[in-house]
Amino acid sequence: MGKSLTLKIIEKKIISGDLSPTNEIAIKIDQTLTQDSTGTMAYLQLMRINPSEIKVKNALAYVDHNMLQTGFENMDDHEFIRSICKKYGITYSKPGNGVCHQLHLENFSKPGETLLGSDSHTPTCGAMGMIAIGAGGLDIATALSTGKYYFKAPHILNIKLEGELIPPASAKDVILFILKEYGVKGGIGKIIEYTGSGASSLSLTQRATICNMGAELGATTSIFETDEKTYEYLDFQGRSEDFIKLKADVDAKYDQFISVDLSSIKPMIAKPHNPDNVYEIANINGIKVNQVAIGSCTNSSYEDLTKAAAILKNKKVSEHVSLVIAPGSSSILSMLAKNGALCDLIDAGARILECGCGPCIGMGQAPNTNGVSLRTFNRNFKGRSGTDSADIYLVSPEVAAASALKGYITKDVPVFDIGIYKKPSLAMQNSGFFIRNIADKNQKIIIGPNIKELPVQSIPNENLEFNTVFIGGDNISTDDITPSDSKMLPFRSNIEYLSSFCLTRIDEDFPKRAKNNNPGLIVAGENYGQGSSREHAALTPAFLGIKAVLVKSFARIHKSNLINNGIIPLTFENPSDYEHIKMLDKIKLSDISINIGSKDSFQITINEIPTKVRLEISQRERDILLQGGFLNYISMKGENY
Ligand code: MIC
Ligand code: SF4
């Protein structure tokens, strides 16, 4: 039986563990990326670990999230990261250069290599035939220090794409269609490998859109084989020497198989407030829109923005629509400026934002009260835009541009031709934005007043008693746990301040209740912690005295972040027990060293009533929990972690 591409790469990179599904393995990491909103914490942790040298071939630090400098805090974070990069020899991408995933794809992605990033959309680079995984900041600090990353050997899901897209259907519609069919839990524990003639028909940036939103499926990562389209892209970026041909064997064995006929895909839309609330647009034509936003790491490529320009050329954006466009990279912006597409966008009435995440993470452009915003982004969680009452819909750039003209959501995209804009034979480069550093041990780290000490991790007592302080439903996102908009993001390195907003979008009394009933337990339903990789969603509950989370199921990155920060991630053995648990119920978890130390399934009591729970983690993770978190664990292990 032949091998999948995923297996071929992982086998080359494996350091320890065996590859049977759900077993923990460690792989060698070739590249890391951080962005600024998770990066400050990751680098505070790196400083604590203080490695003598960086152990990955290529480490990048992008500044793309916290770019509204309304106070000193954000630029202080940038300066902190810039100084860290000089000390450790990490390449620094200045604010304004673009979104980390788009920039990484353009400049550093390499077939066959591994990438670990402190951002959930790191799998975007899977389009380049890489194993690219999103993780918490502490995992990146560890990968930088040791060159390795531990995760569960995944199931490999083969999605065979057949046929070809019929315009205006696009790559965004493909991934929205998959989300409609399989939901935000559909990819948990899986690596998705795309193959088939339909996959070969897609351009590299279309593949990137699909890999990007694999994060919304909960997948560990997604990957495409490499081919002429990969070569073309690398050649355009001036990196043809990085190309290698990578394919699965014809008789490759997969754990699961699905086929999707691209020619049957219609323009799709995700309605509020979850990316899997997907419908064909034909069924919901005609909703009035107030704002249209084109950009984000999902849909801000040269191809996407020239499509928007070609649709908008010589036309006017509807009077009641505010159209905002954030190019994915300064290189894309330069090319649009040079070939006239930028002028056409501006002439139609588009507001051009700087290259970065911008409205995708609520950094400006919050919609009006009860407003409707149509976005080419990947997440539409309630409140994420900065306006709680707004309805956010997710669509392709084609549908976004057409709807901006009409003022209503429409599937009727005018016929357009991107050939009217001359694409250069070589991508324009703005090398002034990348600072390539050589490690300098003597570099002083610049720490502004808003950057606080890392919270202390404490070793748990042998017998724990705690109170239920939160009960929530399914699909609670890390945006719900640690809200992030222009008011919150400047405080990513100030856990005490952020903790006063923890879970307040769902339960505004939570921080107070947690403090008054410390230690506490959080209870929730399925897919707890979906979305962002922000470890603040573990650090802030830990700060408020949360010792365990008991849910029906977890999202992957958040579960690791809980463990790294000493919070015990429990699941109900019998999911119907969720119905019986009430606020302020008393929980007892005894014999920690045996139960946490070695058992997959054990008993706790809820108001003295015995209840079975599960703890499905590796022995390494058990040892981390027994030490109260990863930083304690590595101090105990010394060099051998
Ligand atoms: C997101 O899209 O939610 C973010 C902001 O990029 C996050 C990272 C963060 O919270 O800083 C992510 O996707 O991991
Ligand atoms: Fe930035 Fe949005 Fe992409 Fe997150 S999803 S990296 S906020 S553009």
Side-chain angles (χ1 to χ4, degrees), residues 17-36:
D18 92 72
L19 273 165
S20 37
T22 79
N23 207 34
E24 190 176 69
I25 55 172
I27 58 167
K28 178 179 175 323
I29 295 299
D30 299 311
Q31 309 185 4
T32 54
L33 74 78
T34 57
Q35 39 87 340
D36 49 318

Side-chain angles (χ1 to χ4, degrees), residues 65 99-101 119 121 296-297 357 360-361 378 384:
H65 283 63
V99 183
C100 55
H101 309 302
D119 191 280
H121 291 104
S296 89
C297 54
C357 300
C360 179
I361 189 59
N378 47 39
R384 180 175 160 102

Side-chain angles (χ1 to χ4, degrees), residues 35-39 65 100-101 118-121 135 297 357 360-361 378-379 381 384 478-479 482 484 489 492 531-536 557:
Q35 39 87 340
D36 49 318
S37 67
T38 53
H65 283 63
C100 55
H101 309 302
S118 66
D119 191 280
S120 63
H121 291 104
C297 54
C357 300
C360 179
I361 189 59
N378 47 39
R379 291 186 173 142
F381 303 139
R384 180 175 160 102
T478 45
D479 277 71
T482 303
S484 273
L489 267 180
R492 281 294 182 91
S532 151
S533 65
R534 63 191 73 144
E535 60 195 336
H536 307 77
I557 304 179

Side-chain angles (χ1 to χ4, degrees), residues 245-424:
K245 190 153 179 131
L246 293 174
K247 275 194 113 31
D249 292 334
V250 270
D251 57 345
K253 179 175 169 290
Y254 293 97
D255 299 302
Q256 201 186 339
F257 171 81
I258 295 168
S259 90
V260 174
D261 177 4
L262 295 183
S263 65
S264 70
I265 303 275
K266 302 272 182 307
M268 311 294 282
I269 188 163
K271 298 207 300 189
H273 295 287
N274 223 29
D276 63 355
N277 190 17
V278 173
Y279 296 81
E280 278 188 17
I281 301 193
N283 300 331
I284 67 135
N285 260 343
I287 294 175
K288 185 175 173 191
V289 291
N290 306 100
Q291 183 190 57
V292 173
I294 302 180
S296 89
C297 54
T298 315
N299 280 119
S300 61
S301 62
Y302 173 84
E303 190 181 339
D304 286 336
L305 299 192
T306 44
K307 279 181 184 168
I311 293 169
L312 291 162
K313 188 179 170 65
N314 296 331
K315 304 201 180 90
K316 297 286 164 259
V317 168
S318 164
E319 181 187 320
H320 62 260
V321 171
S322 168
L323 170 65
V324 295
I325 298 181
S329 73
S330 61
S331 159
I332 295 169
L333 180 58
S334 297
M335 291 187 282
L336 299 178
K338 190 125 190 176
N339 67 16
L342 186 63
C343 286
D344 291 341
L345 292 168
I346 297 170
D347 180 53
R351 298 167 63 180
I352 308 299
L353 307 178
E354 67 176 323
C355 305
C357 300
C360 179
I361 189 59
M363 292 303 267
Q365 281 66 44
N368 52 318
T369 309
N370 300 323
V372 169
S373 178
L374 199 61
R375 301 178 160 209
T376 66
F377 306 169
N378 47 39
R379 291 186 173 142
N380 57 348
F381 303 139
K382 193 168 167 44
R384 180 175 160 102
S385 65
T387 304
D388 279 350
S389 66
D391 278 345
I392 310 298
Y393 293 77
L394 308 176
V395 291
S396 67
E398 290 90 325
V399 167
S403 305
L405 293 173
K406 280 235 166 114
Y408 294 86
I409 295 177
T410 180
K411 66 167 184 21
D412 298 324
V413 177
V415 176
F416 63 92
D417 172 18
I418 63 170
I420 57 173
Y421 300 113
K422 192 169 170 339
K423 190 177 176 188

Side-chain angles (χ1 to χ4, degrees), residues 622-638:
R622 292 178 189 284
D623 296 343
I624 294 173
L625 282 177
L626 290 176
Q627 292 303 315
F630 189 75
L631 290 173
N632 282 356
Y633 168 81
I634 57 173
S635 327
M636 184 265 292
K637 289 284 251 187

